[in-house]
Every structure is written in C-alpha cells, then in structure tokens.
Amino acid sequence: MGMSNLTRPSEFILLGLSSRPEDQKPLFALFIIIYLVTLVGNMLIILAIHSDPRLQNPMYFFLSILSFADICYTTVIVPKMLVNFLSEKKTIAYAECLTQMYFFLAFGNTDSYLLAAMAIDRYVAICNPFHYVTVMNRRCCALLLVFSITVPYLHSLLYVLLMNQLTFCASNVIHHFFCDVYPVLKLSCSSTFVIEVVTMTEGLAAVMTPFVCILISYLRILISIIKIPSAAGKRKAFSTCSSHLTVVTLFYGSISYVYFQPLSSYTVKDRIATITYTMLTPMLNPFIYSLRNKDVKQGLEKLLNKIKSHMGRFPSTKAN
C-alpha cells in the first residue's frame, strides 16, 4: 500500500446501528426517549439526595456522584448519535472522535471506581458497623472520590495518546455509533500491537482493580451475613446492598462481554452489547436504586411532592 493511503483522516464516518434509511427515525425516537429518561431519572436522584437530610451519608454521596457521571457518560455519546440519525452525512471530525473516546473512557471508568467505593462503604457498614462513622469520614470519602476520578482520567489519556500515533487506511468508516477503541483500531494500517498489549495489561488492571475490590468486599459481606443468626437480620443486611449488586452485575457483565476478547473477534453483536453499558445501565440505575431502596424511594417521593406543591402555587398567584 502506498504512502498516500497512510494518513490521519480529517474525519470519520460513523456507520451507526443501521445503515438503512427507514430505520433512522424509529431509532432516533427510541434513543431520544432513553436519553431523556436517563437525564431526568439521574437528576431526580441527585436532587433527592441533596434535599433530604436522611440521605446525607457516604453511600448516597457516592450514588449522587455516580448519577452525575452517568449523565456525562451518556451525553458524550448520545447527542452526536441522535444528530447522525437525522443526517445524511454521518461524520465526526478526527479531533472530535478522539475527544469523544477520551471522555467516554474517563466517565466509564469513573463509574466502575465509584461502584468500588460504594462496595467498600457497604463492607464497612455491614462488617464493621460500630466504626462506620469514623472509618467512612469526610477525608476517606474525599480520597476515594479523588482516586475514582484521577485514575480513569490518566488511563483515558494514555489510550488517546496511543491512538493519536496511529495511521489509517483509505477507509474512514467506523462500524459503530461512536468512537470506541476497538472499531477505530480496526481502521489502522500501522501496528496495533502496543495498544493491544496495553489494553490487555494496563487496561485490564485499571478495569479489574475496582472489580476485584467489589468482589472482595462482597465476599466479606456474604461471610458476615451468613453469621447473622436471625433470618430477618440477614434479609435487612442483604437489602442494603442488593441495588448496588444489581448495577454492578449489569455494568461489568456487558463490559466483560465486549472488551475481554481479541481485536479480531470484535463484531456487530458487540456493537449491540455496548448499548447495555453506555445507555441502558445509566437509564436503569435510578429505577434500580429507587425501587429497591426504601430511603431513596422516600427521598424521591418527598422531592416530587415539593415540586408538585411549588407548581400548584402558580395558578393561585396568577389569579391574585
């Protein structure tokens, strides 16, 4: 292949979920609903937590940060995706593509580290309840939050810097609905060996560190729950972490399916599976936490009642 074909393209074309024109408007309608539900659901969780004094503890502090990260995570992908559904020219500039990749990886990994911080919180609450206030103090929460943000952002920067060193073939069509690592790598003409090694070493370590932390926390929690003599006590202990465990299973299950495989194995099925952790999990998180957590449910009911009462004042004010 001649050197003229080895270039850094000015833009990429995002193929999306379907190339058929008749699919574009139904897909637009579906994903704008998912996006709006995600935004509203997560904003309500954040407002409920910050407006209810009973929810002012480390678990809900991390939940509010997770909801904010989920809003950012989907916003990095969905608006561009929606524009492309209604556009004939489904392009994304090279710099915009790398920026999207950077923030997608950063917010995605921040989610996993926040889930680990929440698992640590549940471990301390169940296994060491008498020292919970002293262990999970403001300083500890701040350190966990800083760690949850710093590591993912450095991890993402490494990937984007490595991607920026690649040269690309004549084709600039990305077989995906956003600039994910594997679909962009597939277009490269230069050797992807280094970045593949980084993915399977540093990438694996960065993703597996919070997962191992979650696993150890829940093993310790399980041992503690088994030791509780009463069935009611066991149910109460398990109910405090069931919401978190459901979210962890959804998030890590879909990510493992997509990323823990060789580059050559990446197919259209993985594109569909990506929707689970990029859109469905952030959308479902508020429902999982509000339906399975009595405190959050009550906080949301209180918030919605406040909103209704404020809205109910407007007609009477106008009449006066």
Side-chain angles (χ1 to χ4, degrees):
M1 186 174 286
M3 284 302 289
S4 60
N5 287 331
L6 292 172
T7 60
R8 178 174 294 173
S10 59
E11 61 184 26
F12 290 108
I13 296 167
L14 290 166
L15 199 62
L17 291 170
S18 172
S19 55
R20 298 194 309 171
E22 63 269 26
D23 292 340
Q24 304 309 302
K25 286 183 181 177
L27 285 170
F28 174 85
L30 173 65
F31 285 104
I32 198 167
I33 290 167
I34 289 172
Y35 184 52
L36 290 173
V37 170
T38 303
L39 292 183
V40 173
N42 283 289
M43 277 305 298
L44 285 173
I45 290 286
I46 293 166
L47 291 171
I49 289 168
H50 286 278
S51 64
D52 192 337
R54 291 176 309 162
L55 301 179
Q56 304 301 308
N57 64 49
M59 178 65 176
Y60 299 117
F61 165 72
F62 288 121
L63 176 57
S64 67
I65 303 296
L66 179 70
S67 291
F68 176 74
D70 280 343
I71 289 170
C72 297
Y73 188 41
T74 50
T75 302
V76 167
I77 299 165
V78 181
K80 182 65 181 176
M81 182 187 183
L82 293 172
V83 169
N84 283 349
F85 280 138
L86 303 179
S87 172
E88 286 184 21
K89 196 181 179 187
K90 304 175 190 297
T91 57
I92 184 167
Y94 177 79
E96 190 184 347
C97 182
L98 288 189
T99 303
Q100 187 185 60
M101 186 184 295
Y102 174 76
F103 284 107
F104 161 72
L105 290 171
F107 286 120
N109 280 289
T110 298
D111 265 14
S112 66
Y113 279 83
L114 287 170
L115 289 171
M118 291 165 81
I120 291 167
D121 174 82
R122 290 301 83 201
Y123 160 71
V124 177
I126 292 168
C127 301
N128 201 0
F130 298 112
H131 296 95
Y132 179 76
V133 177
T134 53
V135 174
M136 295 302 295
N137 54 36
R138 284 176 180 266
R139 185 172 175 273
C140 178
C141 291
L143 286 171
L144 284 170
L145 181 60
V146 169
F147 191 76
S148 298
I149 294 169
T150 306
V151 174
Y153 275 79
L154 291 174
H155 166 78
S156 305
L157 184 62
L158 172 63
Y159 272 78
V160 171
L161 290 173
L162 287 171
M163 293 295 289
N164 197 40
Q165 303 302 311
L166 300 176
T167 49
F168 295 88
C169 302
S171 174
N172 66 339
V173 179
I174 298 173
H175 292 264
H176 214 330
F177 54 88
F178 72 101
C179 290
D180 200 358
V181 176
Y182 276 7
V184 176
L185 275 179
K186 281 199 149 190
L187 302 180
S188 176
C189 283
S190 52
S191 172
T192 58
F193 176 74
V194 173
I195 198 164
E196 285 192 65
V197 168
V198 169
T199 301
M200 299 309 290
T201 53
E202 186 276 340
L204 195 63
V207 174
M208 290 307 291
T209 298
F211 181 71
V212 169
C213 182
I214 292 166
L215 204 61
I216 292 168
S217 296
Y218 273 107
L219 282 172
R220 297 292 298 272
I221 287 168
L222 186 63
I223 292 164
S224 293
I225 289 174
I226 289 167
K227 288 177 182 176
I228 296 172
S230 69
K234 285 178 181 178
R235 276 197 302 273
K236 188 180 177 182
F238 182 75
S239 69
T240 63
C241 50
S242 59
S243 304
H244 180 254
L245 199 54
T246 306
V247 172
V248 167
T249 306
L250 266 173
F251 184 79
Y252 277 100
S254 52
I255 280 183
S256 302
Y257 177 81
V258 174
Y259 289 107
F260 295 162
Q261 58 175 312
L263 176 59
S264 56
S265 305
Y266 196 91
T267 63
V268 177
K269 284 182 183 177
D270 301 304
R271 205 190 313 171
I272 306 300
T274 306
I275 292 169
T276 305
Y277 66 86
T278 56
M279 290 178 224
L280 294 184
T281 304
M283 182 187 74
L284 292 172
N285 281 358
F287 294 101
I288 293 167
Y289 278 104
S290 59
L291 293 173
R292 297 180 68 89
N293 188 301
K294 189 176 73 175
D295 292 336
V296 176
K297 194 175 181 179
Q298 288 173 352
L300 279 170
E301 284 171 0
K302 217 160 135 185
L303 176 68
L304 291 171
N305 288 332
K306 273 185 190 174
I307 293 168
K308 280 179 188 175
S309 65
H310 281 300
M311 287 177 74
R313 289 175 193 171
F314 293 123
S316 59
T317 307
K318 194 175 178 182
N320 294 331

